[in-house]
Amino acid sequence: MVEMTVTSRRAARALVLVFALAATAVADKVVLNDGRTYEGVVLEETDTSVRFKTAKAVLTFPRKEIASLERSPVGPLQERETRLGVLDPGKPAEYLAAANWLVGPGRGALDLPTLRRLCTIAAKFDRAHAWEAQMLLAKETEAAGLNREAGTCLARAEIAKPGQAETKSRIEKLRTVLMREAQTEMEQLQKALTLLTGEQYEKALPGLRKARTGAMSERAPDLMGMSMEQLVTFVARRVKCEKCNGQGELPCPLCEGRKESECADCEGTGTRKDYKGGGREVNLAESACKTCHGLAKLLCPRCDAERDVIVFLAAAPTQFTIRVKGGSETATLQKEIDFKRFTHQAIKITMILAEPPRSGGTLPCTPCEGIKFDSSAPPLPMEKLRAYREEVAACLIGTRTYDPLPVAEKAWDPAVIADEMLRYRNGRWAR
Ligand SMILES: [Zn+2]
Ligand SMILES: [Zn+2]
Ligand SMILES: [Zn+2]
């Protein structure tokens, strides 16, 4: 027993070492003075700061906060930044080349969102290579288990270059896989609809939620007069959630529903603790707490708390109002107010008044997806529900044919580049 523990521990340590080596081989490493460590890619180094890209975000560290910075030898992550950084929307073929690099030698730096974007830009702006781009994306999405997306890519490939034997054979293979998945999804849907027509709302709800994006869900608007998403909302309103007692929301755990909290630095007074002045004429620039700038209470950053802040001035326009949100409160105010001098466009500020929060304090309840219980919800269209269930049943037993392959209208997916970000600059996609 003891022997085994030692051996397995040793094995575990060896494994950790292997992972550590693999990680340091490709990633740069920043250690901050407070001990926090980040792995990723150094984008830019200046005398005063380091811009650093992690898997989640692009961060800027002031030099004085950095204890150590380790540069790894150039690996796929660094090369990826270089390759993406030179892409030019005027040369769409290069996007496909970058995609091919990512799924080949650069696989260590592969992520699907980037691949989707590269292939979509290539397919849209370089029709000659649209087929190749979609076939590549189909292969990678299928490998990731995203069979429906892979099916859509193949449908787009067929639009880009119709009648290719390779597209056809890939579509047929995928159709078999998708049909098996569709079978399971339709069985689930049928079960849920049967419960629903028997007015067993609570029992039907979990199955309906699972089936809302599955096979046959796309036909719901035609057959039932509403989408599956609408049906779920419809049914959920009739089921009282236990967690939130049907309210659809829960008090925010961070502020416990208070929407705001006293500034810790000034204990909710708004005045610096070491401020000795006073009297009638208060000089905000000297007296105001450096953390809350005299607001005394700060909005909760968790629950979308909002309020108005009224700023009074010594001269016209004498006052104005700023709407602020929890988490970005002082940043928003800083755009209008010079907190060093306590001025707004060089006019002296005499007072800052924070109104009570107008919203916030709650978070949507997860199990019921934020849908409030409504005892007077209108009845469900039972006839239409039955018709929909009959159609699902007919597809299941094969008296009606069902093609599980998604359809596409274009050789590329407009949703992927709806944000119009076609260039990669400083570690992120931009316009
Ligand atoms: Zn709930
Ligand atoms: Zn809160
Ligand atoms: Zn304060």
Side-chain angles (χ1 to χ4, degrees):
M1 188 65 198
V2 172
E3 191 55 36
M4 253 184 70
T5 314
V6 171
T7 318
S8 62
R9 225 180 255 163
R10 201 173 290 154
R13 198 173 304 144
L15 210 64
V16 168
L17 252 175
V18 169
F19 279 130
L21 281 175
T24 49
V26 293
D28 300 330
K29 191 170 160 188
V30 170
V31 181
L32 300 184
N33 292 333
D34 63 11
R36 275 180 295 164
T37 305
Y38 297 87
E39 286 191 352
V41 189
V42 173
L43 297 174
E44 189 189 21
E45 279 192 71
T46 69
D47 291 343
T48 53
S49 67
V50 173
R51 264 167 41 81
F52 196 76
K53 183 188 164 86
T54 69
K56 284 184 188 154
V58 175
L59 307 162
T60 304
F61 301 116
R63 280 270 183 207
K64 57 178 192 278
E65 284 178 20
I66 296 176
S68 75
L69 171 61
E70 277 171 42
R71 288 267 204 168
S72 76
V74 173
L77 281 177
Q78 287 82 356
E79 195 176 338
R80 174 184 183 273
E81 295 305 311
T82 316
R83 282 178 180 268
L84 297 183
V86 295
L87 291 175
D88 171 1
K91 298 172 189 161
E94 289 175 3
Y95 288 74
L96 183 58
N100 272 312
W101 176 82
L102 261 185
V103 300
R107 189 160 277 277
L110 172 66
D111 68 290
L112 264 184
T114 302
L115 192 69
R116 276 191 198 106
R117 197 175 286 269
L118 291 171
C119 290
T120 304
I121 295 170
K124 180 179 179 184
F125 297 103
D126 181 12
R127 289 306 294 261
H129 290 105
W131 179 81
E132 200 187 332
Q134 291 298 353
M135 292 299 276
L136 189 156
L137 196 54
K139 194 175 160 201
E140 290 301 323
T141 46
E142 192 181 346
L146 303 167
N147 292 327
R148 278 185 72 84
E149 185 179 347
T152 315
C153 293
L154 290 175
R156 296 191 196 284
E158 182 60 28
I159 293 172
K161 211 197 265 182
Q164 295 294 302
E166 195 187 336
T167 323
K168 280 234 164 69
S169 81
R170 292 265 296 273
I171 285 178
E172 283 322 309
K173 264 186 210 150
L174 194 64
R175 185 174 267 136
T176 320
V177 177
L178 283 172
M179 198 58 219
R180 230 176 289 135
E181 286 179 5
Q183 206 86 23
T184 316
E185 288 165 3
M186 286 194 281
E187 277 163 18
Q188 231 167 29
L189 179 59
Q190 189 189 27
K191 217 181 271 174
L193 289 172
T194 304
L195 286 167
L196 201 54
T197 46
E199 296 192 25
Q200 303 204 52
Y201 304 121
E202 199 170 345
K203 278 191 178 162
L205 197 51
L208 286 176
R209 286 205 160 107
K210 272 189 207 149
R212 67 184 138 181
T213 53
M216 282 296 280
S217 65
E218 74 283 358
R219 298 206 48 203
D222 277 351
L223 294 164
M224 198 169 47
M226 65 172 111
S227 70
M228 278 298 289
E229 197 62 56
Q230 285 168 318
L231 180 66
V232 166
T233 309
F234 221 76
V235 176
R237 282 161 67 192
R238 309 171 147 266
V239 178
K240 199 175 207 171
C241 169
E242 278 177 23
K243 185 151 186 211
C244 63
N245 199 26
Q247 292 304 300
E249 53 186 29
L250 293 163
C252 168
L254 190 60
C255 63
E256 292 167 330
R258 288 194 296 261
K259 305 172 194 173
E260 58 182 5
S261 60
E262 283 184 356
C263 168
D265 279 356
C266 61
E267 290 168 354
T269 61
T271 306
R272 284 170 59 170
K273 273 186 182 166
D274 58 356
Y275 181 64
K276 294 285 183 282
R280 284 186 151 213
E281 274 288 300
V282 176
N283 184 347
L284 284 171
E286 282 174 17
S287 66
C289 163
K290 291 282 176 272
T291 303
C292 64
H293 304 295
L295 293 171
K297 285 178 177 174
L298 289 167
L299 287 174
C300 175
R302 181 87 177 270
C303 54
D304 283 332
E306 263 189 9
R307 72 170 155 205
D308 287 336
V309 172
I310 309 171
V311 182
F312 294 89
L313 302 167
T318 66
Q319 71 175 73
F320 66 97
T321 305
I322 308 175
R323 173 73 48 87
V324 292
K325 275 189 161 192
S328 59
E329 196 169 9
T330 46
T332 305
L333 292 173
Q334 255 153 13
K335 284 181 198 154
E336 300 291 335
I337 299 171
D338 175 353
F339 280 122
K340 242 182 188 153
R341 298 180 185 82
F342 262 85
T343 53
H344 164 70
Q345 293 171 0
I347 308 170
K348 199 180 161 215
I349 291 167
T350 53
M351 188 167 69
I352 291 182
L353 191 73
E355 297 261 276
R358 41 189 298 140
S359 63
T362 57
L363 292 176
C365 173
T366 313
C368 62
E369 297 175 346
I371 299 167
K372 216 172 173 171
F373 174 69
D374 180 3
S375 57
S376 61
L380 286 163
M382 286 300 177
E383 274 314 305
K384 285 181 174 169
L385 282 178
R386 277 189 207 104
Y388 185 34
R389 190 191 57 190
E390 291 316 311
E391 192 71 17
V392 175
C395 290
L396 267 172
I397 54 171
T399 51
R400 189 92 78 241
T401 52
Y402 179 75
D403 187 355
L405 207 78
V407 285
E409 281 166 11
K410 284 193 167 98
W412 49 280
D413 182 358
V416 173
I417 46 172
D419 55 19
E420 293 172 24
M421 293 183 180
L422 308 179
R423 291 163 201 278
Y424 191 84
R425 294 290 174 270
N426 299 318
R428 55 177 78 141
W429 288 96
R431 288 187 184 196

